[in-house]
Amino acid sequence: EAQVTQNPRYLITVTGKKLTVTCSQNMNHEYMSWYRQDPGLGLRQIYYSMNVEVTDKGDVPEGYKVSRKEKRNFPLILESPSPNQTSLYFCASSTGQGLDEQYFGPGTRLTVT
Amino acid sequence: GQNIDQPTEMTATEGAIVQINCTYQTSGFNGLFWYQQHAGEAPTFLSYNVLDGLEEKGRFSSFLSRSKGYSYLLLKELQMKDSASYLCAVQEVTDKLIFGTGTRLQVFP
């Protein structure tokens, strides 16, 4: 089954404790992206990747890191989480060949206290 | 700059027709997408428009006017399960999707 998976689905952590949210897709997609979704603000792009070893900042990259060492994986790293990073996070992927739907993972609800 | 506007909330009755509007101003345009998102779940793709006009997919249709920076999603024969948020998104030439804040639709019996 074609899918995007994320782990963990739920996470409660404390300020400053490094964490990684994993994202994996099995569709051989070149384009991958991370979004955060907050009430009243909609989905905002954090980082995206056009292909292996190619990553770029989205609209709200501060406080986040990503890497793309393999085509299927695109982890999101929070080196020192802060309460304003409490949000619902989605990973998405697409072929990157122009007009093509993005497939979203199930989401990770992160709470930073 | 980039700006996508859509109404925050709408209500409708089961069996009715509802139109959700979206206006946009972006620096680049490749196409316009509509996604559906049920509460607490991931967005799922509904439709996209590249050229002006109406695209029909079953009970859902989407319209685009590029010269006016305007799109709408038309939902016919509404069902209770259509209660969800509907996200308008513009795709730039880099494949980047810029999302509106979404329209929460409530369908009542």
Side-chain angles (χ1 to χ4, degrees), chain B:
Chain B
Q2 303 162 341
N3 192 43
I4 300 176
D5 286 318
Q6 47 183 136
T8 304
E9 287 194 22
M10 297 183 71
T11 60
T13 306
E14 200 173 12
I17 299 173
V18 71
Q19 178 175 313
I20 302 174
N21 296 323
C22 171
T23 58
Y24 64 89
Q25 288 178 304
T26 59
S27 54
F29 182 86
N30 211 24
L32 189 135
F33 286 70
W34 285 96
Y35 283 80
Q36 180 190 60
Q37 185 179 25
H38 285 98
E41 297 183 10
T44 55
F45 169 78
L46 286 177
S47 69
Y48 75 80
N49 294 71
V50 180
L51 301 175
D52 291 356
L54 190 67
E55 294 282 343
E56 296 187 75
K57 268 178 108 175
R59 293 190 299 114
F60 294 3
S61 303
S62 57
F63 171 84
L64 176 67
S65 169
R66 289 173 298 169
S67 62
K68 294 181 180 177
Y70 169 68
S71 174
Y72 67 73
L73 180 69
L74 193 70
L75 292 76
K76 303 175 189 173
E77 300 167 19
L78 279 172
Q79 302 174 9
M80 297 297 291
K81 67 179 182 179
D82 296 329
S83 292
S85 288
Y86 291 86
L87 314 180
C88 172
V90 171
Q91 187 188 54
E92 294 187 329
V93 294
T94 57
D95 257 21
K96 178 180 180 178
L97 271 181
I98 303 167
F99 285 87
T101 53
T103 299
R104 191 170 77 166
L105 173 67
Q106 293 186 69
V107 180
F108 293 100

